[in-house]
Amino acid sequence: MFKKILIANRGEIACRVIKTARRMGIQTVAVYSDADARAPFVQMADEAVHIGPAPAAQSYLIADKIIAACKQTGAEAVHPGYGFLSERTSFAEALAAEGIEFIGPPVNAIAAMGDKIESKKLAKEAGVNVVPGYVGEIDDTEHAVRISNEIGYPVMMKASAGGGGKGMRLAYSEQDVREGFESVKREGLNSFGDDRVFIEKFILNPRHIEIQILGDKHGNILYLNERECSIQRRHQKVVEEAPSPFVTPKMRKAMGEQCVALSKAVGYYSAGTVELIVSGADPTGESFYFLEMNTRLQVEHPVTEAITGVDLVEQMIRVAAGEKLEMTQDDVKIDGWAIENRVYAEDPYRGFLPSTGRLVRYQPPVDGWSDDGAENGRRGIDGVRVDDGVYEGGEVSMFYDPMIAKLITWGETRDEAADKQIAALDAFELEGLGHNIDFVSAIMQHPRFRSGELTTGFIAEEYPEGFTGAPASDALKVKLASVAGFVAAARADRARRVDGQLATPLDPPSEWTVTIGKEAFEVVIDEDAVTVNGTEVELELEYTPGDRFIDAEADGEDITIKIEPTRTGFKMTTRGAIHQITCLPTSIAALSKHMIEKIPPDLSRFLICPMPGLLVSLNVAEGDKVEIGQPLAVVEAMKMENILRAEKAGVVKSVSAKAGESLAVDAIILELE
């Protein structure tokens, strides 16, 4: 077994590998960029080596710096995590040339399966169903248009070396291909150093199901069941679960055996994932197609660990050291259900725009996952596990992926795992930047999610106008009104005790008018009861003015509420939505209708940068005429390019930014007359 390994990655996955290596008695080496100097993974490792500036292209993507760090520290092997160099054949070859073990699959397997174009050719030759498409190299935009017209729309344009949702565009028309092809090439080049693109038919109403593969160097290959990853946004996975609510034992066996056969064809070992696109309209499960193979550890590996009890990182290390797998296919079981939500630095209330900045507050619902080696320990604390690599006071940088943490829950049933997600998300404290906690909580509550009727179009279909928060039931509104009334009375009681006020202390108001949205509730606080619109609410809670969270039991249901005082009430966040609540003594509530309503200024004539990022290109100049929907600029943030379009027709009056500039959120790019 290795005595020391280097982790050629950062953030959450670096922490994950370090924890398991530490339990195995293996020393660890971290490498870090300027942006990660104070990151938790750097503190956790036994040694740390600085490898360059913040941009990945100048640090984490430079193989020579990783190898130099290995030589400097005496690391015998490298775990690449996911992303960065994890699927780069040249990196694995360079390590081998230096006598350093690569904790991953053999070079030939990475070459054959990691390249999307070559892997499709191989799968086709092996008799595996593949999605119709063009698997050769595409010369230019005109060539891409001809290919797309032949395949038939919609088509998907993908960077050959892409992954993690980067370098992908869906095109429904020739115009979409013309607008998006060059962006896909640039994203592939910037993120992966490879600008080759391939095009394939996009299957409508598809399910994204993947099979976890694990093999050793002695010819043993197993499949560790499937994961359902259909809920995606911009082709980036948001929710993953294991097992899939769609897959039957017969389907699981057919998919697993075919994926094992494909892996054996390239002499695969270590952990890997075969991704399949499955027609949800075919209940037989026979309509599944090879999509790609990720020759590395997946972000969503914890859900597989939770239901199988297998530590995938440990197995990768043992396989790299030459050990045989101690399990057989018959040993692989399914115990319970696990769901993972990715907590991202993006604001669903603003069209999911990337958000960067400082984590002013960061308190997950349970302590970060620690690898104690116990089989059930992979399920976290009481079925709640948090894998993260950030800390309160740290920054989420524009240079890397926007994922803040992974929240994994395990239950005996799918509904139990989802219910644990909702409760844990309510208790997740995260301030300082936009995040998607409310959004993923809303998904967990959505009737369609609960039914298991999932497709990769779930988010686009269920939230076509964007996200405004999960809908609140009448019962939830009553509970929130009762809590708001109680808290308002408690705050008023404290205020009356302040010394030096005029007259004698008055009793706090006991009657409150609580407005949630446009609905008003009359709340009465007595010594023995709380009533809402004349009906008693059984309410138990403890509250001290200044508390940021309230754990309450209302009408027999436990609920966690994040509360923030406002000038006329509270902002309450729970169950996947932010509720702006007005809470006034009933005696003066009627006066609120006389308040003048503020009208926001019209900003439609400005093109405003919606997120912090790099202005890649500016397509117009002063004096140019523009039409509604016309692309005006491209802003890159979190390794993704975002096309900014004109919201109204007009003439460019002035330009305030130029290509190559780093822009702050809400910075004005140009103004229309």
Side-chain angles (χ1 to χ4, degrees), residues 182-252:
E182 289 300 327
S183 283
V184 174
K185 289 189 70 172
R186 281 197 301 270
E187 285 184 8
L189 185 62
N190 292 339
S191 293
F192 309 103
D194 187 340
D195 69 351
R196 290 177 302 153
V197 175
F198 72 94
I199 297 177
E200 66 184 11
K201 178 75 174 175
F202 183 73
I203 296 176
L204 297 172
N205 301 321
R207 297 183 82 115
H208 185 121
I209 294 172
E210 58 189 33
I211 301 293
Q212 176 68 58
I213 294 295
L214 180 64
D216 62 25
K217 295 180 179 180
H218 306 278
N220 302 305
I221 300 182
L222 314 175
Y223 63 91
L224 274 62
N225 306 314
E226 81 285 351
R227 294 184 289 259
E228 172 96 45
C229 307
S230 294
I231 298 184
Q232 305 175 3
R233 197 189 67 77
R234 290 185 68 176
H235 319 297
Q236 177 92 26
K237 298 167 189 173
V238 177
V239 181
E240 300 104 348
E241 59 182 306
S244 163
F246 181 71
V247 173
T248 64
K250 180 182 176 182
M251 292 163 60
R252 182 174 298 118

Side-chain angles (χ1 to χ4, degrees), residues 44 121 137 170 172 228 260 286 313 480 508 522 582 591:
M44 288 175 59
K121 289 179 179 177
E137 290 193 35
L170 182 58
Y172 285 95
E228 172 96 45
V260 166
E286 294 176 0
V313 172
L480 291 176
E522 299 303 322
T582 300
L591 302 175

Side-chain angles (χ1 to χ4, degrees), residues 310-330:
V310 177
D311 185 324
L312 286 168
V313 172
E314 177 183 350
Q315 293 302 319
M316 290 180 75
I317 295 172
R318 293 192 180 282
V319 166
E323 295 186 12
K324 285 186 177 181
L325 294 178
E326 294 184 352
M327 70 194 84
T328 65
Q329 191 63 59
D330 291 338

Side-chain angles (χ1 to χ4, degrees), residues 607-645:
L607 180 66
I608 296 174
C609 188
M611 81 289 281
L614 178 71
L615 184 59
V616 176
S617 64
L618 188 60
N619 303 333
V620 293
E622 190 173 319
D624 287 355
K625 185 178 180 181
V626 301
E627 301 296 334
I628 294 175
Q630 179 179 334
L632 300 180
V634 176
V635 175
E636 180 186 310
M638 299 290 191
K639 300 189 291 185
M640 298 286 282
E641 290 193 356
N642 303 272
I643 300 174
L644 307 185
R645 301 176 184 274

